Amino acid sequence: MKTSWKVWAAAALLFTGAAAARTPAISPPPRPPQIWIDPALKLEPVRLQDVAIDIRIQGFVASTRLDLTFHNPNARVLEGEFVFPLAEGQSITGYALEVAGQLREGVVVEKETARVAFESTVRRGIDPGLAELTQGNVFRTRLYPLPAQGDKRVRIEFDQPLLDAGAVYRYLLPLAFDAPLRHFRVHAEALRGDAAPAASGGVALSFARWQESFVADLARENFRPERELAFELPKPANPVTVFSLADRDDAQWRRFAAQVQSAPAEPRRPAAAPRHIALFY
């Protein structure tokens, strides 16, 4: 089977993606995002200290944006690798890396075009960020420079279909961090929903009606999420099987999604007691 590749490329950013055939299987929850530093350096680990999660539910598709801030506690500039294992069904749709104090977005180009851009950028004395989606649905990107006793921001976006749980759709985002976060924030919107979503996981959200949608906000300090962020949405009375999402940066582009919505099993009526019994012999 041929492997398909995609590349995110910007002035200082590149992203390559590889899709490999996978057999559906029950896999353990993904590990938390982390920055890998060469252990031979014997330095303090780079810590994830701020996490902001933005969730938008439209139809049966959830779009999630994670804004992550890492802190380098060491007194020297470091080079590291950001590793983010994705859950089953999640697909990367956006990537941005902090360069000179500003987030720089990536764009999709062919693999060879990206390689040429990467080498050209290096020759100009600019340190590019190279990112790829590896087998096993793991997103990784080179991070340099990690400022001495300073911070580095990474932002990733991904889409995922909601889990079909019979009478409801379920959103699930695994969260299992190794240490408390300095700041933890969640903002979630269920666009044009018929009823308020209900929390069903370790990080509980409380939704309230806002205009035609339901919105929830959560903020915590020195907080360590150890379980998943999950909530359930009642299925609409009129099933949404096909819809399109406009691209945020270019309104002329659209993404289409389709799904066959299942319905809960009809309750069986108890059989009526017989009034007469006939015997044949």
Side-chain angles (χ1 to χ4, degrees):
M1 178 179 179
K2 293 184 178 179
T3 303
S4 61
W5 290 84
K6 288 185 179 179
V7 179
W8 293 87
L13 298 178
L14 296 176
F15 168 73
T16 69
R22 295 193 305 271
T23 346
I26 299 175
S27 53
R31 300 183 305 275
Q34 59 181 325
I35 289 185
W36 183 88
I37 301 293
D38 186 355
L41 298 175
K42 297 181 180 180
L43 298 172
E44 290 188 54
V46 174
R47 299 190 299 266
L48 175 60
Q49 61 180 15
D50 295 345
V51 173
I53 304 173
D54 190 89
I55 305 164
R56 291 171 62 86
I57 307 292
Q58 184 173 352
F60 47 82
V61 173
S63 300
T64 304
R65 173 184 291 178
L66 292 182
D67 198 317
L68 311 170
T69 302
F70 294 88
H71 179 71
N72 174 17
N74 301 283
R76 57 177 288 187
V77 176
L78 296 176
E79 176 178 349
E81 184 179 63
F82 171 67
V83 181
F84 183 75
L86 294 161
E88 188 68 28
Q90 294 177 342
S91 301
I92 292 288
T93 56
Y95 162 60
L97 179 64
E98 184 180 18
V99 178
Q102 294 185 346
L103 283 176
R104 300 290 298 273
E105 298 281 352
V107 294
V108 178
V109 297
E110 293 296 330
K111 177 186 175 183
E112 292 307 317
T113 305
R115 293 297 177 188
V116 172
F118 179 83
E119 294 170 2
S120 171
T121 304
V122 171
R123 283 195 296 269
R124 285 185 288 146
I126 301 173
D127 291 298
L130 177 63
E132 61 181 343
L133 188 63
T134 63
Q135 190 171 9
N137 214 20
V138 176
F139 178 81
R140 59 178 68 237
T141 177
R142 171 180 178 264
L143 288 184
Y144 181 84
L146 291 168
Q149 297 178 340
D151 300 337
K152 173 73 79 175
R153 285 179 64 200
V154 178
R155 189 176 70 202
I156 57 177
E157 301 174 40
F158 51 87
D159 286 354
Q160 64 193 91
L162 297 175
L163 301 174
D164 192 332
V168 297
Y169 284 129
R170 191 165 190 258
Y171 174 86
L172 177 64
L173 179 65
L175 297 174
F177 294 100
D178 299 329
L181 304 169
R182 184 180 64 178
H183 301 297
F184 177 78
R185 183 187 67 82
V186 180
H187 174 78
E189 293 185 34
L191 305 178
R192 293 180 292 278
D194 295 338
S200 64
V203 180
L205 294 179
S206 179
F207 286 83
R209 170 71 77 177
W210 183 75
Q211 296 182 356
E212 296 182 352
S213 305
F214 288 94
V215 177
D217 285 286
L218 175 72
R220 295 286 187 270
E221 308 291 327
N222 299 316
F223 177 66
R224 180 187 174 189
E226 299 182 68
R227 294 181 55 195
E228 72 278 1
L229 168 64
F231 51 86
E232 296 178 346
L233 301 87
K235 288 184 176 178
N238 300 316
V240 181
T241 54
V242 179
F243 73 98
S244 65
L245 297 170
D247 187 87
R248 294 180 180 177
D249 300 322
D250 190 345
Q252 295 180 351
W253 288 86
R254 287 183 172 271
R255 292 174 288 151
F256 292 88
Q259 184 185 64
V260 177
Q261 176 173 300
S262 69
E266 291 289 337
R268 289 189 175 184
R269 296 181 179 179
R275 292 184 179 181
H276 305 282
I277 297 178
L279 298 177
F280 298 91
Y281 64 93

